[in-house]
Amino acid sequence: MANFSKQFRLSSSLLKRLKRQAMSPNPGLFLTRFFTTTGGIRPSIVHKRSLDILHDPWFNRGTAFTMTERDRLDLRGLLPPNVMSPQLQIERFMVDLKRLEVQARDGPSDPNALAKWRILNRLHDRNETMYYKVLIANIEEYAPIVYTPTVGLVCQNYSGLFRRPRGMYFSAEDRGEMMSMVYNWPADQVDMIVVTDGSRILGLGDLGVQGIGIAIGKLDLYVAAAGINPQRVLPVMIDVGTNNEKLLEDPLYLGLQQHRLDGDEYLAVIDEFMEAVFTRWPHVIVQFEDFQSKWAFKLLQRYRGTYRMFNDDVQGTAGVAIAGLLGAVRAQGRPMIDFPKQKIVVAGAGSAGIGVLNAARKTMARMLGNNERAFESAKSQFWVVDAKGLITEAREDIDPDAQPFARNVKEIDRQGLREGASLVEVVKQVKPDVLLGLSAVGGLFSSEVLEALKGSTSTRPAIFAMSNPTKNAECTPDEAFSILGENIIFASGSPFKDVDLGNGHIGHSNQGNNMYLFPGIGLGTLLSGSRIISDGMLQAAAECLAAYMSEEEVLKGILYPSISRIRDITKEVAAAVVKEAIEEDLAEGYQNMDARELRKLNQEEIREYVKNRMWSPRYSALVYKKD
């Protein structure tokens, strides 16, 4: 009862507003607007009956149809007579899932996780509401199935796994037709699009059209974590060809069997797609996902000032990493304001690595005074190593995105380093507080590198092996703790089990998963009505996640919360994004909550506003109406 009271306690200012509204001529209008969830549980109007209903995954509820509904929708006799509750349906499915996990494998080489994905996907194909009930109730177990690391396997095998179309495909051959194509999608309202061109799926490289699996998986998490209505999401694949020779020669490959477009031809396709989707759905949010580094930054800079869009690999990964880095400072027993003093060696200068570097530099600069001098000073805390070694100003043809972090030659000479110095050399000489991996090179943090980290000047050095999927992690927690002992902090991009260090001590393996942030960024942007996603909104999301953990948890080396708390985390992150949008005067409101009303809300009221607009899977009554 105490928890119930706490959960629904309203601020005094909100109670006063409710009282004023209750005395108005039409009090119900305000109450409905503020407390009714998006999508609600109103009856749904359907224009189909009989087998057509059973074959529609959005409206089908199988054995949960009541006898009244069976009569109303001409279903009597088409289902077994026993009417099951939604909970019994889920229990029956879970029994089948456990029984079929092994049987659904295609042989010894087919991992158990992929079998789970197949079974969940079949449920998604026949009953969406139940699918999301199962996913939300078991999010800690199934997030790694619908998202990383299993989604990587799904993408690699997608042509063979393809059964039912999900999402939209725009190809290079559709140039000139995209404006009309978007109207082939049946939903009049779309809130969230995740789009990929398949050019850099996780750390697996160019998977072409098969990359749509990543867009589908991300949107499943938007629904489960952020409560975005699943009827208002759209996974998109932009097929501009592939440079994967194996796919080009595979007769079963489902995409265009031609090499990738490049240059202006490539940009023309993406431009046409963006114009088309924002013409039909002006308020949609587009998340760019797994575009190769060559295009990730260029497209982000090209569109972010015009459209509601962001790139999760660049900005989401950066936010999660920043939250972890701030948590690492706390775990070392220091205040977060000491973050600008951290020496950070970064392995990897792709889109994710540069995104983290830029975000970390801005965070340090803000703590140092948020001026030009602070911004310039902050870059001296980073040493960036790519495939060619340490990046310095002496390097020829340096990537423009990495240029700001190139070390001064005279300075590194005094440190005993040089252009192209190896990762081991850099770690030995710099003695960093943090070793951050975003290289997509599995095992890069070798025993030699980890041994070198023993010389760190930090009392508790942090290792962030952030590359996905699991096989691309720079090292495992077992390797890190076995070489460096228990007095370290470990985080990774993919899930690993905690390490038993003996004597009751646990080496915590923190998963710096992007799902801690991107659902909240998307939901907060949607509910604020902001027309762009600003750096401030992204920074607010990262700082919210960093502050989410208690001091006791952080001192134990726990940087990120349990995935089982993901809906609460997302609510907090979304509220922080809404608040920042209001403070930056970017908020334009959402549905019946206009910008003026948003500005009147305090922090607790913003949380309630977010919470009450998160969709939850429920069976609504179905009412048949002829077309």
Side-chain angles (χ1 to χ4, degrees):
M1 187 68 182
N3 288 338
F4 181 87
S5 300
K6 183 178 179 181
Q7 186 178 4
F8 289 94
R9 190 180 299 139
L10 301 178
S11 69
S12 58
S13 61
L14 180 57
L15 286 170
K16 289 176 183 176
R17 288 178 64 207
L18 292 176
K19 188 174 181 180
R20 286 198 304 269
Q21 292 292 335
M23 297 171 67
S24 72
N26 191 5
L29 180 62
F30 174 81
L31 292 170
T32 300
R33 182 170 70 247
F34 193 80
F35 290 104
T36 301
T37 59
T38 302
I41 51 172
R42 301 170 187 168
S44 297
I45 306 298
V46 295
H47 304 288
K48 55 183 71 174
R49 289 189 286 191
S50 189
L51 289 174
D52 289 337
I53 283 284
L54 298 180
H55 293 159
D56 186 325
W58 180 252
F59 296 114
N60 178 38
R61 65 189 63 169
T63 54
F65 278 114
T66 66
M67 296 310 294
T68 302
E69 289 170 326
R70 296 181 192 204
D71 285 336
R72 187 165 66 235
L73 299 170
D74 295 345
L75 294 171
R76 190 181 282 266
L78 300 181
L79 292 163
N82 186 14
V83 176
M84 303 190 80
S85 69
Q87 187 55 43
L88 274 176
Q89 276 190 310
I90 291 173
E91 289 176 13
R92 185 164 64 92
F93 170 77
M94 296 301 288
V95 169
D96 280 348
L97 180 76
K98 300 302 180 187
R99 178 173 56 84
L100 291 172
E101 276 176 7
V102 176
Q103 295 179 16
R105 293 168 64 175
D106 282 346
S109 64
D110 186 17
N112 203 43
L114 199 54
K116 285 185 180 180
W117 180 88
R118 280 197 185 93
I119 299 162
L120 287 168
N121 198 52
R122 290 170 196 161
L123 176 61
H124 197 175
D125 284 345
R126 66 178 183 269
N127 187 333
E128 280 209 6
T129 302
M130 185 174 162
Y131 171 75
Y132 287 115
K133 278 179 176 284
V134 169
L135 185 56
I136 290 170
N138 303 276
I139 190 67
E140 195 164 13
E141 179 179 359
Y142 293 148
I145 303 298
V146 301
Y147 183 43
T148 184
T150 307
V151 73
L153 284 169
V154 172
C155 290
Q156 287 177 303
N157 296 279
Y158 198 77
S159 289
L161 293 170
F162 181 84
R163 295 292 181 273
R164 180 191 182 104
R166 199 182 302 282
M168 288 195 75
Y169 299 79
F170 296 83
S171 80
E173 295 187 351
D174 296 318
R175 280 174 284 187
E177 301 294 335
M178 295 184 194
M179 191 64 76
S180 59
M181 283 174 63
V182 291
Y183 290 90
N184 292 339
W185 189 251
D188 289 329
Q189 183 172 347
V190 171
D191 293 332
M192 198 76 221
I193 288 174
V194 175
V195 60
T196 184
D197 70 351
S199 58
R200 190 202 64 82
I201 299 299
L202 300 172
L204 301 171
D206 185 345
L207 297 183
V209 76
Q210 300 181 161
I212 194 169
I214 197 81
I216 294 168
K218 286 269 184 173
L219 285 169
D220 277 347
L221 294 184
Y222 266 111
V223 176
I228 302 291
N229 189 318
Q231 287 191 301
R232 297 178 184 172
V233 303
L234 173 57
V236 170
M237 173 70 212
I238 299 180
D239 185 0
V240 292
T242 178
N243 292 334
N244 185 324
E245 295 299 328
K246 183 178 177 182
L247 296 178
L248 289 173
E249 296 170 5
D250 184 355
L252 299 181
Y253 177 60
L254 296 172
L256 293 180
Q257 290 188 296
Q258 63 185 48
H259 286 101
R260 285 186 172 274
L261 295 183
D262 204 355
D264 290 341
E265 281 191 301
Y266 176 85
L267 283 174
V269 173
I270 310 298
D271 282 348
E272 184 179 345
F273 162 76
M274 291 293 280
E275 184 180 2
V277 296
F278 279 95
T279 296
R280 185 176 182 196
W281 302 295
H283 304 294
V284 72
I285 301 163
V286 177
Q287 174 179 315
F288 277 59
E289 188 69 31
D290 285 356
F291 284 70
Q292 61 184 311
S293 300
K294 174 181 179 179
W295 288 112
F297 284 101
K298 289 178 182 176
L299 296 176
L300 180 60
Q301 296 309 317
R302 188 177 184 86
Y303 301 128
R304 70 173 307 196
T306 309
Y307 298 116
R308 292 214 292 184
M309 62 80 63
F310 71 106
N311 184 304
D312 186 49
D313 304 300
V314 176
Q315 296 163 298
T317 300
V320 172
I322 294 302
L325 291 170
L326 292 172
V329 177
R330 294 173 65 199
Q332 292 165 352
R334 299 158 66 182
M336 279 198 289
I337 198 69
D338 277 358
F339 179 52
K341 299 176 183 178
Q342 296 271 288
K343 293 179 293 182
I344 303 175
V345 170
V346 180
S351 59
I354 297 297
V356 171
L357 282 163
N358 285 328
R361 183 183 180 186
K362 288 176 183 175
T363 303
M364 286 183 177
R366 196 182 69 259
M367 292 178 172
L368 292 169
N370 209 22
N371 52 44
E372 192 63 36
R373 183 179 176 183
F375 189 66
E376 187 63 25
S377 172
K379 75 175 185 180
S380 66
Q381 299 304 114
F382 304 98
W383 288 257
V384 185
V385 180
D386 66 2
K388 297 179 182 178
L390 178 65
I391 299 175
T392 74
E393 293 172 351
R395 179 170 299 190
E396 297 179 4
D397 299 322
I398 190 169
D399 185 333
D401 295 318
Q403 176 70 53
F405 300 96
R407 302 294 301 196
N408 178 274
V409 175
K410 290 182 179 179
E411 179 191 13
I412 64 161
D413 186 56
R414 290 194 297 270
Q415 294 175 335
L417 294 170
R418 68 190 191 291
E419 160 63 33
S422 70
L423 181 60
V424 172
E425 291 175 294
V426 174
V427 172
K428 280 181 179 177
Q429 297 301 322
V430 174
K431 307 182 189 308
D433 300 285
V434 178
L435 179 57
L436 175 59
L438 289 154
S439 66
V441 179
L444 181 65
F445 295 169
S446 62
S447 57
E448 192 179 5
V449 171
L450 294 174
E451 286 284 350
L453 192 59
K454 286 182 177 179
S456 169
T457 53
S458 172
T459 56
R460 197 177 191 186
I463 300 166
F464 286 74
M466 301 296 282
S467 292
N468 285 313
T470 311
K471 71 183 183 68
N472 287 351
E474 284 77 10
C475 71
T476 67
D478 289 285
E479 292 165 345
F481 283 106
S482 65
I483 291 174
L484 289 158
E486 65 181 81
N487 208 26
I488 61 169
I489 300 153
F490 183 86
S492 59
S494 288
F496 286 100
K497 292 182 179 179
D498 289 343
V499 179
D500 186 351
L501 302 174
N503 298 321
H505 291 208
I506 299 294
H508 291 284
S509 178
N510 297 280
Q511 187 188 3
N513 196 320
N514 284 21
M515 73 179 289
Y516 287 124
L517 281 191
F518 71 77
I521 293 169
L523 179 63
T525 303
L526 177 71
L527 297 184
S528 72
S530 174
R531 289 193 173 272
I532 63 166
I533 300 174
S534 70
D535 286 339
M537 291 160 69
L538 296 165
Q539 188 70 35
E543 291 180 359
C544 175
L545 177 59
Y548 189 85
M549 305 303 294
S550 70
E551 201 67 24
E552 182 182 3
E553 289 172 316
V554 169
L555 290 175
K556 288 180 181 177
I558 305 173
L559 305 184
Y560 299 107
S562 166
I563 294 292
S564 63
R565 294 152 70 182
I566 192 62
R567 279 179 79 95
D568 184 63
I569 298 162
T570 299
K571 178 194 71 178
E572 296 294 330
V573 170
V577 171
V578 171
K579 183 173 183 288
E580 181 64 23
I582 294 169
E583 291 178 357
E584 292 186 33
D585 202 25
L586 294 172
E588 297 186 10
Y590 176 73
Q591 293 187 343
N592 293 325
M593 179 68 76
D594 62 26
R596 186 175 60 180
E597 287 180 310
L598 271 179
R599 284 193 289 270
K600 294 177 182 177
L601 304 181
N602 63 31
Q603 187 64 39
E604 187 57 36
E605 291 165 351
I606 292 174
R607 288 193 186 97
E608 285 294 309
Y609 168 66
V610 171
K611 175 184 168 186
N612 286 296
R613 280 156 180 79
M614 294 172 72
W615 178 87
S616 293
R618 306 184 179 97
Y619 289 138
S620 62
L622 302 183
V623 177
Y624 174 73
K625 184 178 180 181
K626 287 185 179 181
D627 285 326

